[in-house]
Amino acid sequence: MNHLNGSIPPASRNRSVYRATIAAMAVGLAVGISACGTADTIEPAEGDNVETSAPVTTETSVAATEPEESSDTGSAMAMANLADVDGNSVGEVTFTEKDGSLLVSVAVTGLDAGFYGFHVHQIGECEPDSAAPDDPSDTGAFKSSGGHIPGQEDAVHPNHAGDLPTLLVGEDGAATMDVATDRLDESLLMDDDGSAVVIHSKPDNFANIPERYSAEGPDEDTTGAGDAGERLACGVVEG
């Protein structure tokens, strides 16, 4: 018998070839389906020992990170637009309540380099040519804004509520400064007659007059405004 001689009958050979052809077609079909699928998902081949409840993916998920909002400062409570005697804008000042204090932020441009007296005055008027409210004979630029907000009764410079650090302008004519003060609050800035921010033409000496310069100490001009000179720019504080 041919079976005993190790040979395969023609019918058996035909069946073997048929099975091999079907297997090859199945593999080709699986490869074709995989190639036509999306690049994000790889489906396991039939018969593989792989869980089929969830597809295998090659996508890398990256979560978008939104920037956190800063809680250091709130929105500005009030602001003042600063202008010189000709009406030219020189900058602005904002007032923001923060941690029980008032944050005063100033940004100016177009000034000569140097130090400038910087104060909050007690009346919200910035008339370029005007008289001081308490002395009609005292006239000049922005005199309508009155003196510094005193805060405490009989306070003298530099202990007024409206006294602030001297503003330093760089060679580019610009200056920025942030300072927190507990002397000022909304009730002082936004009272019935308002308030104004003033930049003076000279540095503020904060009434620091040693006795070797004056045995009698600082005079009325010094205790009034620190000898800061004329009023260079002014801005009404508005809520």
Side-chain angles (χ1 to χ4, degrees):
M1 298 289 291
N2 289 335
H3 289 283
L4 296 178
N5 293 333
S7 62
I8 301 175
S12 298
R13 286 198 303 270
N14 291 338
R15 285 194 295 271
S16 297
V17 171
Y18 176 77
R19 290 192 186 99
T21 301
I22 294 300
M25 291 175 63
V27 172
L29 179 62
V31 172
I33 292 174
S34 177
C36 293
T38 64
D40 291 337
T41 303
I42 300 176
E43 296 290 346
E46 184 179 356
D48 288 348
N49 187 21
V50 178
E51 293 287 342
T52 59
S53 59
V56 179
T57 63
T58 59
E59 179 182 0
T60 302
S61 177
V62 179
T65 303
E66 294 292 336
E68 295 184 1
E69 293 185 3
S70 173
S71 59
D72 289 343
T73 61
S75 58
M77 178 192 73
M79 68 174 298
N81 291 310
L82 299 168
D84 61 20
V85 293
D86 296 321
N88 300 314
S89 176
V90 298
E92 67 177 25
V93 182
T94 59
F95 299 89
T96 307
E97 292 179 329
K98 177 184 177 184
D99 300 332
S101 295
L102 194 66
L103 180 65
V104 183
S105 302
V106 55
V108 300
T109 58
L111 301 181
D112 293 334
F115 288 96
Y116 293 83
F118 181 65
H119 313 120
V120 182
H121 288 236
Q122 61 191 121
I123 298 176
E125 293 185 12
C126 290
E127 297 296 331
D129 186 10
S130 53
D134 58 352
D135 184 3
S137 65
D138 182 12
T139 60
F142 307 122
K143 290 288 187 176
S144 58
S145 63
H148 302 173
I149 293 180
Q152 297 179 354
E153 188 177 356
D154 298 328
V156 296
H157 195 76
N159 297 318
H160 300 129
D163 294 339
L164 293 169
T166 299
L167 187 64
L168 174 60
V169 176
E171 292 294 338
D172 60 354
T176 59
M177 181 172 68
D178 293 326
V179 57
T181 176
D182 58 5
R183 295 179 175 183
L184 288 171
D185 57 27
E186 185 175 6
S187 66
L188 292 174
L189 289 177
M190 310 296 290
D191 62 1
D192 291 341
D193 56 5
S195 60
V197 179
V198 173
I199 298 177
H200 289 258
S201 60
K202 295 180 181 179
D204 187 340
N205 61 24
F206 299 104
N208 181 26
I209 307 296
E211 289 186 1
R212 68 178 181 272
Y213 299 138
S214 174
E216 298 178 357
D219 60 18
E220 186 176 347
D221 288 339
T222 303
T223 56
D227 296 304
E230 301 298 324
R231 303 178 185 192
L232 189 66
C234 183
V236 175
V237 177
E238 299 177 318

